[in-house]
Amino acid sequence: MNTALSWIKAYVPELTCTDQEYMDAMTLSGTKVEGYTRLDKNLEKIVVGQIQKIEKHPDADKLIVCQVDIGGEVIQIVTGAPNVKEGDKVPVVLDGGKVAGGHDGGPLPEEGISIKAGKLRGVPSNGMMCSIEELGSDRNFYPEAPEMGIYIFGDDVQVGADAVEALGLRDTVFEYEVTSNRVDCYSVIGIAREAAATFRKPFVLPEVTVRENGEKVEDYISVEVQDTELCPRYCARVCKNIKIAPSPQWMQRRLAASGIRPINNLVDITNYVMEEYGQPMHAYDLDTIAGHKIIVRRAKEGDVFQTLDGQERKLDADVLMICDAEKEVGIAGIMGGENSMITDHVTTVLFEAATFNGANIRKSAKRVGLRTDASGKFEKGLDPYNAEAAINRACQLIEELGCGEVVSGMVDVHGEMKEKVVLPFEPERYNKLLGTDVSEQEMLDIFRMIEVEYDAAKRTLTIPTFRQDILRQCDIAEEVARFYGYDKIPTTLPNGEATTGKLPFKLRIEQKARDIAEYCGFSQGMCYSFESPKVFDKLLLAADDPARKAITIANPLGEDFSIMRTVPLHGMLVSLATNYNRRNKDVRLYELGNIYLPKALPLTQLPEERMQFTLGMYGDCDFFDMKGVVEEFFESIGMHKKAVYDPKADRNYLHPGRQANIEYEGTLVGYLGEVHPEVCDNYDMKTRAYVAVLDIPAVLPFATFDRKYEGIAKYPAVLRDISMVVPKEVMAGQIEAVIAQRGGKILEDYQLFDIYEGSQIKDGFKSMAYSITFRAKDKTLEEADVSSAMKKILNGLEGMGIELRS
């Protein structure tokens, strides 16, 4: 967004500051100024001169000698310009002055070009008459300038006056970086409103009064909007007896400073209003509108439309079109059609000012391959109330500039208009949030400058519709901070719970998972959440496995990244396989990442995201090493009870005899096991690999960082060892459950210290040996106490078909 300072001052007439002061103050108040360019840079001692007499040069056929009146003095200038004649008023740079560049229109030198009095082919020359290029501009912005030769002023300029001022070059153009949420600042009025509030100066909107001819606009045009969702408001006005001519100098200069080339009064008015109000407009030749009817509807799939630039654009059903009774005449919010373009023969013009769905305009511009200044504004979401103000301003300029006659009335088609946002006025809350002590009255003064209305009775603030970025209390507090001055906000320490620096409970559990994994020799990895549907086959998942119900990505990077993962193992196995194929012998990796489980397909609501703690390793390790890491993690987060490992996990991607579900107090919290050999082959990994996956949301209810101190035992422990012949189908967990249940209060610990299968043990059995520790907290145990507890344990074990070894 570029604006000339002179245009800003038209709405803030009391604004007085240097260019640097303006840049610094606007940036500090939130309207960031990227930089500025003085239009009169390197233009010195240049006045309006009038040629009094022209003679041929005595020694050069292509040179002439001019006597030029510069206001009270006549100087002699030798020139080769072919377009000057006696009586012309021209820009003259005097002896010792500067011009911006050369006549060839090439890059402007940084320091400009100094002009000195001298002789040309023996004839004295005391200055230089200038072309528009030598003044740092070109014919795009001064279309009245000759293609080759000296710039000629009109008769209204005074001889001896400042020529730079007369050309409108005593100005500065500022370049702004406007964020997309501040759509109001994509207009000169929006920037001016910010400048008025920043410098505490009155803001004066242009007074718009439209003189109409008494006819009814409904007799000229009718409008039908078929898709009100994509076009919330459509305003149309008609101007007749159009006279195409150049626009006035002041309008041309303002447009040129904004980087827009003046064309003619009609086109310039639409561009001028777009820059002034931030509302794109379009003008149609009403005589080309079939049936004198406008229909706003979606395009038909596969339609082709030729735009004003002569290009054919392929359309689809999501592109909104402006049509007449027979054909399309424009792509809504982007560009009009060649079939309704304005020509020099136009007599009646239809003005359009509408509000379109911003997201649809952005997508449509991408589809048709055409992005314009208009689409760039529409796609940010315009204020529907601005459309009426802008179209009235355009009609006012049509009448004031003698461009045509305005037909009375406006066709206005809209649905329910957006209501203004109303927020409670809470000055204490704003000060607390900002760490300031701004008075209530000063806040109200700020709100008045930015046109926020205050209701003293209800203590509410009503936000103007053009401020679509103010939706909640924090936005209001930001307005106070911006105009009170960020530099005035004192440095204070934050207060509240955040000052303790304590992580939320879930993040503390995840940090403990990292600590334990790294303590056990694992390195952290990060894997893609996007996967290929082929992953399910590589993991040998059954055709009806729920994990195959994955979310398909609407705009994937490719087939290999087309779904959201539902199991965390693919990325881990790819990482292990990569390390294996690079000949790393012992590898241990872990990842903390989400899986994405849809609640229904196709999606009707956001999926469930579950954090998974995934461990993977190969090399010098086995199943029990992985089990030990899991138990180390459980112990570190306060899960002191024994987890149950159920071998009936039935996970196809794990070895059928070396896998287990992990249950804690009856809840499934994860699984572990050796990777199925066929899965290892699918990942090109010729070794045994082991994985464990813990579901963090399932673990959280059992985790705790509360610790209860227990003193050192005062009384001795009693140890008992038992060696048993156990049926092979009986698991260690079942035995330990009996020991824990029947050992009573004096049971302190138990440990499996031997397991054996061989020729000395009968078929179908295995030998297992446990060391059991008993201790009382209040006395020294007697033999009878221990014997009673052991008897209960042995009775329970005998019921499982277990025999004691002698």
Side-chain angles (χ1 to χ4, degrees):
M1 179 70 188
N2 294 347
T3 66
L5 187 59
S6 61
W7 202 349
I8 298 296
K9 288 182 177 180
Y11 312 124
V12 192
E14 295 182 19
L15 179 62
T16 54
C17 60
T18 66
D19 295 338
Q20 190 63 47
E21 287 170 346
Y22 180 87
M23 176 178 177
D24 293 342
M26 292 292 284
T27 299
L28 195 59
S29 68
T31 307
K32 185 180 179 184
V33 180
E34 287 287 320
Y36 61 86
T37 303
R38 284 208 59 86
L39 298 182
D40 59 358
K41 180 182 178 182
N42 296 325
L43 301 181
E44 299 176 9
K45 299 181 69 174
I46 304 177
V47 299
V48 177
Q50 186 171 29
I51 301 174
Q52 300 290 332
K53 185 178 181 182
I54 297 178
E55 297 176 334
K56 290 185 177 181
H57 192 288
D59 293 326
D61 293 338
K62 294 185 178 181
L63 296 180
I64 56 177
V65 181
C66 302
Q67 304 301 320
V68 183
D69 180 5
I70 58 171
E73 181 184 357
V74 176
I75 63 173
Q76 180 171 287
I77 298 176
V78 178
T79 181
N83 66 311
V84 293
K85 64 183 183 301
E86 292 179 357
D88 284 346
K89 294 179 180 179
V90 296
V92 177
V93 56
L94 304 177
D95 180 25
K98 274 187 176 182
V99 292
H103 185 76
D104 59 0
L108 301 181
E110 185 65 28
E111 301 299 327
I113 298 174
S114 297
I115 303 300
K116 301 291 183 182
K119 291 184 178 182
L120 284 179
R121 301 292 292 269
V123 176
S125 182
N126 297 312
M128 184 179 79
M129 292 181 283
C130 305
S131 67
I132 198 64
E133 288 80 11
E134 288 164 332
L135 295 171
S137 190
D138 57 51
R139 295 183 66 250
N140 285 326
F141 302 126
Y142 289 83
E144 74 278 12
E147 185 173 355
M148 295 290 292
I150 303 303
Y151 182 83
I152 310 297
F153 285 111
D155 293 334
D156 55 339
V157 298
Q158 185 177 354
V159 174
D162 183 349
V164 178
E165 179 74 33
L167 284 164
L169 294 175
R170 292 284 183 216
D171 206 350
T172 306
V173 175
F174 290 87
E175 179 185 357
Y176 305 87
E177 180 186 320
V178 182
T179 53
S180 58
N181 66 322
R182 288 302 307 275
V183 65
D184 59 302
C185 286
Y186 284 91
S187 67
V188 178
I189 287 177
I191 295 291
R193 187 181 285 112
E194 290 287 303
T198 300
F199 290 94
R200 302 291 199 275
K201 300 295 183 182
F203 172 65
V204 182
L205 265 175
E207 186 176 341
V208 178
T209 303
V210 183
R211 294 175 58 184
E212 303 172 333
N213 67 1
E215 297 182 82
K216 293 182 178 180
V217 70
E218 290 80 8
D219 295 337
Y220 284 83
I221 191 69
S222 62
V223 176
E224 177 188 348
V225 178
Q226 295 183 359
D227 196 322
T228 55
E229 181 182 351
L230 297 186
C231 179
R233 188 176 193 183
Y234 191 98
C235 300
R237 297 201 67 157
V238 174
C239 297
K240 59 186 290 188
N241 298 328
I242 296 297
K243 302 176 184 65
I244 299 296
S247 54
Q249 293 288 327
W250 62 266
M251 179 176 284
Q252 292 191 31
R253 300 299 173 256
R254 288 181 178 179
L255 290 174
S258 298
I260 299 175
R261 182 172 63 89
I263 298 175
N264 58 49
N265 51 2
L266 187 59
V267 175
D268 291 352
I269 285 171
T270 60
N271 286 333
Y272 184 86
V273 172
M274 180 175 72
E275 290 300 302
E276 185 179 39
Y277 280 79
Q279 170 68 50
M281 295 180 57
H282 193 71
Y284 298 97
D285 185 341
L286 187 60
D287 293 334
T288 66
I289 303 299
H292 284 191
K293 181 175 183 179
I294 289 292
I295 302 172
V296 184
R297 61 167 175 81
R298 292 173 181 259
K300 296 176 182 177
E301 198 73 37
D303 277 359
V304 175
F305 179 71
Q306 189 170 31
T307 47
L308 276 171
D309 57 1
Q311 300 294 315
E312 290 191 343
R313 312 286 176 177
K314 189 174 182 181
L315 310 175
D316 60 33
D318 290 324
V319 177
L320 190 67
M321 300 297 294
I322 309 298
C323 310
D324 60 19
E326 299 175 355
K327 61 187 180 301
E328 295 99 343
V329 295
I331 305 177
I334 301 175
M335 185 177 280
E338 194 171 34
N339 55 10
S340 62
M341 67 184 295
I342 297 292
T343 67
D344 291 342
H345 307 292
V346 63
T347 57
T348 307
V349 166
L350 169 66
F351 274 125
E352 163 196 287
T355 307
F356 301 114
N357 181 283
N360 177 263
I361 294 298
R362 179 177 60 83
K363 293 176 182 177
S364 296
K366 187 175 180 180
R367 287 192 193 96
V368 302
L370 178 62
R371 194 170 189 273
T372 60
D373 288 341
S375 68
K377 286 182 166 62
F378 276 121
E379 68 187 23
K380 294 172 178 62
L382 299 183
D383 175 16
Y385 291 91
N386 196 37
E388 181 178 357
I391 202 169
N392 285 339
R393 173 64 163 163
C395 290
Q396 177 197 28
L397 292 172
I398 287 285
E399 193 276 330
E400 285 185 355
L401 302 184
C403 183
E405 182 181 330
V406 181
V407 175
S408 299
M410 177 180 73
V411 177
D412 187 6
V413 180
H414 62 81
E416 185 177 349
M417 298 289 280
K418 182 177 65 174
E419 294 185 0
K420 295 182 179 180
V421 174
V422 179
L423 298 172
F425 177 49
E426 300 176 345
E428 297 84 2
R429 182 176 178 182
Y430 310 148
N431 277 324
K432 186 176 181 181
L433 182 62
L434 299 173
T436 56
D437 188 22
V438 183
S439 69
E440 182 173 317
Q441 186 57 49
E442 188 169 0
M443 289 186 187
L444 292 176
D445 289 342
I446 290 172
F447 298 150
R448 177 180 50 78
M449 290 187 299
I450 59 175
E451 301 182 32
V452 172
E453 300 172 5
Y454 173 58
D455 187 325
K458 298 179 180 178
R459 284 186 69 80
T460 59
L461 301 170
T462 302
I463 313 302
T465 56
F466 60 79
R467 288 302 302 274
Q468 300 183 45
D469 59 308
I470 302 180
L471 301 173
R472 51 190 67 86
Q473 294 293 66
C474 59
D475 300 324
I476 285 289
E478 182 185 17
E479 297 303 298
V480 173
R482 289 202 302 129
F483 296 113
Y484 172 70
Y486 289 118
D487 55 328
K488 297 179 184 177
I489 298 177
T491 301
T492 58
L493 289 173
N495 53 40
E497 185 179 348
T499 59
T500 61
K502 188 176 181 180
L503 287 173
F505 182 73
K506 176 178 178 291
L507 296 184
R508 292 176 68 193
I509 296 299
E510 292 175 12
Q511 185 58 53
K512 186 60 71 173
R514 294 186 188 92
D515 293 343
I516 293 301
E518 291 167 10
Y519 169 77
C520 294
F522 288 75
S523 298
Q524 184 173 11
M526 296 183 70
C527 304
Y528 288 112
S529 296
F530 303 157
E531 292 185 339
S532 166
K534 299 175 183 176
V535 166
F536 301 135
D537 294 332
K538 293 181 73 173
L539 293 174
L540 308 182
L541 292 184
D544 59 348
D545 195 301
R548 286 183 177 267
K549 296 178 180 179
I551 301 165
T552 302
I553 299 168
N555 53 342
L557 299 174
E559 184 182 359
D560 290 342
F561 302 95
S562 60
I563 63 169
M564 302 297 291
R565 65 178 177 178
T566 56
V567 289
L569 289 181
H570 171 70
M572 178 60 67
L573 293 175
V574 168
S575 299
L576 291 176
T578 301
N579 279 274
Y580 175 79
N581 288 300
R582 292 180 181 175
R583 303 180 181 237
N584 292 326
K585 293 183 179 180
D586 296 296
V587 173
R588 296 187 176 203
L589 300 175
Y590 78 93
E591 182 198 12
L592 279 163
N594 287 335
I595 58 171
Y596 304 84
L597 306 178
K599 297 171 184 176
L601 287 177
L603 282 180
T604 56
Q605 54 184 314
L606 292 174
E608 182 182 10
E609 300 182 26
R610 299 186 71 87
M611 177 64 69
Q612 307 287 287
F613 178 30
T614 308
L615 299 154
M617 62 183 182
Y618 69 80
D620 187 14
C621 56
D622 60 18
F623 178 93
F624 295 102
D625 288 326
M626 185 64 81
K627 180 171 175 282
V629 176
V630 171
E631 292 178 346
E632 186 81 27
F633 171 61
F634 287 164
E635 181 70 22
S636 71
I637 59 174
M639 296 169 63
H640 300 302
K641 295 182 180 179
K642 292 282 186 179
V644 175
Y645 297 87
D646 181 4
K648 298 178 182 179
D650 296 330
R651 299 182 186 273
N652 293 3
Y653 40 82
L654 298 180
H655 193 294
R658 298 167 191 160
Q659 59 173 290
N661 280 338
I662 306 171
E663 297 177 2
Y664 191 87
E665 294 190 4
T667 299
L668 179 65
V669 296
Y671 57 88
L672 80 161
E674 180 183 326
V675 179
H676 196 290
E678 189 174 337
V679 174
C680 284
D681 286 342
N682 289 341
Y683 285 89
D684 195 22
M685 194 163 39
K686 311 299 182 184
T687 186
R688 289 185 174 184
Y690 301 89
V691 294
V693 177
L694 297 176
D695 186 40
I696 295 297
V699 167
L700 289 177
F702 305 108
T704 178
F705 290 105
D706 294 338
R707 298 292 185 264
K708 185 177 180 181
Y709 169 76
E710 292 186 3
I712 299 174
K714 297 180 181 179
Y715 302 98
V718 178
L719 300 179
R720 291 289 187 269
D721 292 344
I722 55 173
S723 181
M724 303 165 288
V725 177
V726 182
K728 282 189 176 182
E729 63 271 13
V730 177
M731 296 178 291
Q734 294 173 276
I735 297 173
E736 292 171 0
V738 171
I739 296 174
Q741 179 185 3
R742 292 175 173 259
K745 293 183 179 180
I746 64 172
L747 178 65
E748 184 179 78
D749 192 22
Y750 50 87
Q751 294 290 336
L752 175 67
F753 68 87
D754 183 60
I755 185 167
Y756 171 75
E757 295 182 40
S759 58
Q760 299 179 19
I761 305 298
K762 56 185 177 180
D763 290 342
F765 288 81
K766 57 188 174 183
S767 173
M768 301 179 69
Y770 276 87
S771 176
I772 305 176
T773 303
F774 298 96
R775 192 195 305 267
K777 296 180 180 180
D778 55 354
K779 67 175 183 178
T780 299
L781 292 175
E782 298 180 359
E783 179 62 30
D785 299 325
V786 177
S787 297
S788 174
M790 284 298 299
K791 184 175 181 181
K792 292 178 182 178
I793 291 172
L794 294 175
N795 287 341
L797 295 175
E798 287 175 1
M800 300 169 64
I802 296 173
E803 303 173 4
L804 284 179
R805 294 185 67 185
S806 55

